[in-house]
Amino acid sequence: MTAARCWPSMDMLRSEPMQLVQLIIPIESAHRAISYLGDLGLFQFKDLNAEKSPFQRTYATQIKRCGEMARKLRFLRDQMKRTGFLSSSWSPMGTNVNLDELEVKLGEYEAELLEMNTNTEKLQRSYNELLEYKLVLEKASQVFYSAEHNAIAQHREVEQALGEGSIDSPLLLEQEMSSEPSKQVKLGFVSGLVAREKSMTFERILFRSTRGNVYHRQVVVEEPVTDPVSGDKVEKNVFVVFYSGERAKNKILKICDAFGANRYPFPDDIGKQYQMITEVSGKLSELKTTIDIGQLHRATLLQSIGYEFEQWNLLVKKEKSIYHTLNMLSLDVTKKCLVGEGWCPTFATNQIQNVLNRATVDSNSQVGAIFQVLHTKDSPPTYFRTNKFTSAFQEIVDAYGVAKYQEANPGVYTIVTFPFLFAVMFGDWGHGICLFLATLYFILREKKLSNQKLGDIMEMAFGGRYVIMMMALFSIYTGLIYNEFFSVPFELFGRSAYDCRDSTCREASTLGLIKVRHTYPFGVDPKWHGTRSELPFLNSLKMKMSILLGVVQMNLGIILSYYNAKFFRNDLNVWYQFVPQMIFLNSLFGYLSLLIIVKWCTGSQADLYHVMIYMFLSPTDDLGENQLFMGQKFLQIALLLAALVAVPWMLFPKPFLLKKQHEERHRGQAYALLDSTEDDSFELEEHKGSRGHEEFEFSEVFVHQVIHTIEFVLGAVSNTASYLRLWALSLAHSELSSVFYEKVLLLAWGFNNIFILIIGIVVFICATVGVLLLMETLSAFLHALRLHWVEFQSKFYEGDGYKFSPFSFVSIGDDEE
Amino acid sequence: MGFLVTTLIFLVVGIIASLCTRICCNRGPSANLLHLTLIITATVCCWMMWAIVYLSQMKPLIVPILNESE
């Protein structure tokens, strides 16, 4: 809705004018057009296919393709991470890769990597098995020799016992050994490796199951061995089990399998043993080289992928979002073009048309795209053009509620009043300077920090850097006014106004000083700090200041509601809401502010609590010594009557007048329907519910008005009192600050010891940073925010709009799926 | 310096600040109006705070009573 404005428009005060636009794009240029619109980032598409499921939509297959490619990219990234490669940061210049080519490439890479991985696994497994075999060959031979030795020794003992000691006996030793097996009972044996922790159980079960008819030896392997199956390093023992008989053999084999003990054949012959060992060693070195070459190949492949990975990633995400958007457009009956609807700001009309033309040209299409503005009663999204400075403040306002389309944006005033109210509660120019230096660091390294990924808290602090800077600047100002530098006052702006009554200063601690010179020109007089009457004076000052600031801000809120009413041509709101609200607020609290100022100017001793309370309780009584000016009694009676009249003025007329308005409109509408057939034939019937006139329930409107009135009347008192938090927090801050200064720093100074002084300084700095700079900042931030959201915005803000979220590629790069 | 003189100083500082912003960042009438509004709001806020503190000290009802030790 436009209104005749007799003043120029202001940036950011009201949402940019938005329009509902219909785009008709031929199919061949559709993809390109959407891509360019995404680059522009100023068009919000409406979903015209909302009833369809994801599988019924036109481009479902394309999205599946993109999803597949994204999966492959995730797989590649996983592989790169496993080998410890980090993909290099995305460079915008690079060969423009086509989506189809990319799909093929990704498929190839994935297949290749999978194959390489399985091969490597297989090779690694055989490598480990061969290692184990080698160990068996080495260790088992010990068992055999020691066993044979024992057997031979026993045999010789028996022979010697029989008495035949021949000189030839030693020479026959070998012969005996070689002929031993044939003379003995045929023993079979099983050799292999078993995990050390299972070895005892293994032995026991073997013993039990074969009824003790096996001979079992184990040799410890010192270093842990890589298990071929699991790939972990396990401590193992080499075992040899001698058995006789087929059944025992089967049992032993089954037990080995159950315990996961790997079996390896062991040749009897020494010569064969040596041969096997050399063979195995040869194979091992061969395998090692093969595995190493394989790893090298994989690493080079991953590295080459890593160079282009980010670019591919971005491309796939972009394509997916383009297809999502294309799915929102509806296919025309002729199947030759796509129809889309969406919101865009009016100032972007030319840009969008240029973009569409460029897409037509680039895709060699015969037909151009059509751009048509539709008229609708739907409420458009709200769009404020913000820069890096104002966006943080706008976000603060949006966190409460996004502004209704074209209502006044409190963000404009928030840019100044929010840091100002923060500073009223924070007021210390030393702390302000610290805060300013901290935020200056963020601002100076803006470009670098905005590309990095910061932690959550740092991210918030960085995002709000301009807010904090304003807060710091205002804090320096209010600190100078409160005259507090880490709670120490300075005489910067001239001489203090107070001095002793006489030259002896005897009564300085009983009756106090007197004002001998002009008022201290800027801020609180430095003589107040540390005196006994400091708190009564400062409390009185800060409480009155809070009321004055609060009344001014609330009046600003009501005046903004006047401008809203004027903009939306809502005369009802002007006469039956704005005027009674102003009268009510100002006749009570505006009058209180006036009394405060008059009392200060005249130096009267009147008790303002008494005056205000008795204004209500007994307005016709004589004021006596509480009189501040002539005619005060009559003025008070008049203001009281005005406030009493304002309440029913806010409450009653509006619902009746709304009803009358609605009836007039309703009566007139029956005649208007015939004219509407001349509208554009292109208008779709998507505007369900916006054409039909709203139902008018009188009781609902009346109750709404009652609630609104009660809220305002009670709110006037409670909101004014709420502003006293400005006093409370400012008192807390100055008290904390002075405690840290006096009880830490001055105490440490008093000891005249360098170490205690250093400790004192460290404690002071930690306490100042932790409690005052961090906690108090957050606390004052929160309270200033509350004052804005509740006390200020409730006077005029509706905040039930929705934000303009255009289709744009800018935000895509940041998501991590 | 009196109340009125300092008020005039605030006014002059405000005018100078708005002129500076007009010269430095002249970005079209709507942006200029925004900057002007911000400067006026800031000046009014700062002036109000100073004025409140000044007025409260002009005719004091309480005077500083020093501590015994001083």
Side-chain angles (χ1 to χ4, degrees), chain A residues 8-11 412 416 420 477-478 481 498 508-509 512-513 515 519 521-523 525 528 530-533 541 600-601 603-604, chain B residues 10 30-31 33-34 37-38 41-42 45-46 48-50 52-68:
Chain A
S9 68
M10 185 158 82
D11 234 8
V412 170
V416 171
F420 177 69
Y477 178 78
T478 53
I481 290 207
Y498 294 97
S509 23
L513 311 172
K515 184 163 186 271
T519 321
F522 190 86
D525 200 297
W528 283 105
T531 59
R532 280 194 299 174
S533 53
L541 163 68
W600 276 344
C601 288
S604 135
Chain B
F10 268 98
S30 58
L33 191 57
L34 174 68
T37 308
L38 292 180
T41 316
C45 287
C46 294
M48 259 203 306
M49 184 143 186
W50 168 82
I52 289 170
V53 171
Y54 189 86
L55 284 176
S56 67
Q57 291 182 107
M58 272 199 336
K59 303 202 177 176
L61 295 171
I62 320 175
V63 285
I65 302 176
L66 301 177
N67 278 322
E68 251 94 71

Side-chain angles (χ1 to χ4, degrees), chain A residues 34-46:
Chain A
I34 302 289
S35 172
Y36 292 161
L37 279 175
D39 283 327
L40 184 63
L42 280 174
F43 197 89
Q44 177 181 347
F45 283 94
K46 256 169 95 160

Side-chain angles (χ1 to χ4, degrees), chain A residues 128-130 132-133 136 190-193 228 262-266:
Chain A
N128 288 334
E129 279 179 359
L130 280 175
E132 286 199 337
Y133 190 25
V136 168
V190 168
S191 56
L193 283 164
N262 302 323
R263 287 174 289 111
Y264 298 100
F266 184 78

